[in-house]
Amino acid sequence: ELKVEQNPLFLSMQEGKNYTIYCNYSTTSDRLYWYRQDPGKSLESLFVLLSNGAVKQEGRLMASLDTKARLSTLHITAAVHDLSATYFCAVDGSGGGADGLTFGKGTHLIIQP
Amino acid sequence: EAGVVQSPRYKIIEKKQPVAFWCNPISGHNTLYWYRQNLGQGPELLIRYENEEAVDDSQLPKDRFSAERLKGVDSTLKIQPAELGDSAVYLCASSFTLQGVRGYTFGSGTRLTVV
């Protein structure tokens, strides 16, 4: 059974600070997705990481993937209030087909002025 | 592009009543998924369709849940009878593959409250 674990589950931080969210998974899959979810909203795709060593950046967010360690990170640089949301990592099935995503429990991020 | 369309957005029903959710995926997306998201949790896969065939329904509680995807386009998910523990957001998603990269698009979800 594929397991995806995120930590921390809750994070309160001040604007301007840096922090990292960690995502560990239990399969050999090299397809890792990051999503953002605002309260009462659906999932917004942030990044798709497809290979070992992949790094993607968008604004203040940067995601990386280490398939050997089965670890992905989402780094927040100089946080701003607008980044407050819940962030999910998800792993695609390792069966080669469209197996669907297995999600972590999410990291609820609050950024305070 | 309209995206994945779900309806209704909200539904409140009494326990033991039936309820149905509808999903229209993005045109051309052959794979469709239903997920359930409990409060404070990540989405969990219920069922996956490839065209009109349910290829993975191992997580679908078959005693009360059913789904169909006639003609391989839109889909409905039904609960009968609903229980208090079914209160959750039900998300529909569809996927495509472009140059070896699979992309998933989620709908806005149906928030079900069973009272």
Side-chain angles (χ1 to χ4, degrees):
Chain A
E1 180 187 352
L2 171 57
K3 293 185 178 180
V4 180
E5 295 185 351
Q6 286 182 238
N7 72 83
L9 298 182
F10 298 96
L11 178 58
S12 179
M13 55 191 294
Q14 289 185 320
E15 282 190 327
K17 300 292 187 180
N18 304 331
Y19 210 81
T20 301
I21 300 171
Y22 297 89
C23 175
N24 289 91
Y25 56 96
S26 63
T27 184
T28 56
S29 174
D30 57 1
R31 293 173 288 177
L32 194 292
Y33 297 72
W34 283 97
Y35 287 89
R36 168 181 173 150
Q37 189 176 41
D38 292 294
K41 304 294 185 181
S42 190
L43 297 161
E44 174 190 354
S45 179
L46 293 175
F47 302 108
V48 181
L49 304 170
L50 298 174
S51 61
N52 187 42
V55 176
K56 290 193 174 181
Q57 183 166 4
E58 181 72 32
R60 301 174 187 273
L61 301 177
M62 183 175 71
S64 65
L65 178 61
D66 181 343
T67 59
K68 295 181 180 179
R70 300 180 186 177
L71 170 69
S72 181
T73 61
L74 180 65
H75 187 73
I76 304 159
T77 302
V80 293
H81 177 68
D82 286 351
L83 291 179
S84 296
T86 299
Y87 293 86
F88 292 95
C89 65
V91 177
D92 208 339
S94 56
D99 296 325
L101 296 172
T102 299
F103 286 83
K105 290 186 176 182
T107 297
H108 184 52
L109 175 63
I110 297 174
I111 300 171
Q112 300 175 345
Chain B
E1 191 173 81
V4 177
V5 180
Q6 291 188 246
S7 67
R9 287 297 310 277
Y10 305 93
K11 191 73 175 181
I12 301 175
I13 62 170
E14 294 184 341
K15 61 182 180 182
K16 300 185 181 180
Q17 294 301 306
V19 65
F21 316 125
W22 177 79
C23 172
N24 190 11
I26 293 175
S27 177
H29 286 199
N30 296 329
T31 310
L32 182 146
Y33 312 80
W34 283 102
Y35 285 84
R36 176 170 59 189
Q37 185 176 19
N38 292 312
L39 186 63
Q41 302 293 317
E44 296 176 327
L45 181 66
L46 292 174
I47 189 169
R48 170 168 66 95
Y49 279 94
E50 293 288 346
N51 298 302
E52 66 274 10
E53 182 182 1
V55 295
D56 182 1
D57 62 356
S58 58
Q59 301 304 311
L60 190 72
K62 298 180 183 63
D63 57 335
R64 297 182 299 106
F65 286 66
S66 64
E68 62 182 10
R69 191 185 183 196
L70 300 176
K71 300 181 181 179
V73 182
D74 54 351
S75 176
T76 56
L77 177 68
K78 299 178 181 178
I79 308 174
Q80 182 171 12
E83 297 179 352
L84 295 177
D86 296 331
S87 295
V89 175
Y90 291 82
L91 293 166
C92 178
S94 63
S95 73
F96 66 96
T97 300
L98 180 62
Q99 296 180 341
V101 179
R102 183 172 303 120
Y104 294 84
T105 303
F106 286 81
S108 298
T110 295
R111 182 176 298 275
L112 174 67
T113 302
V114 182
V115 298

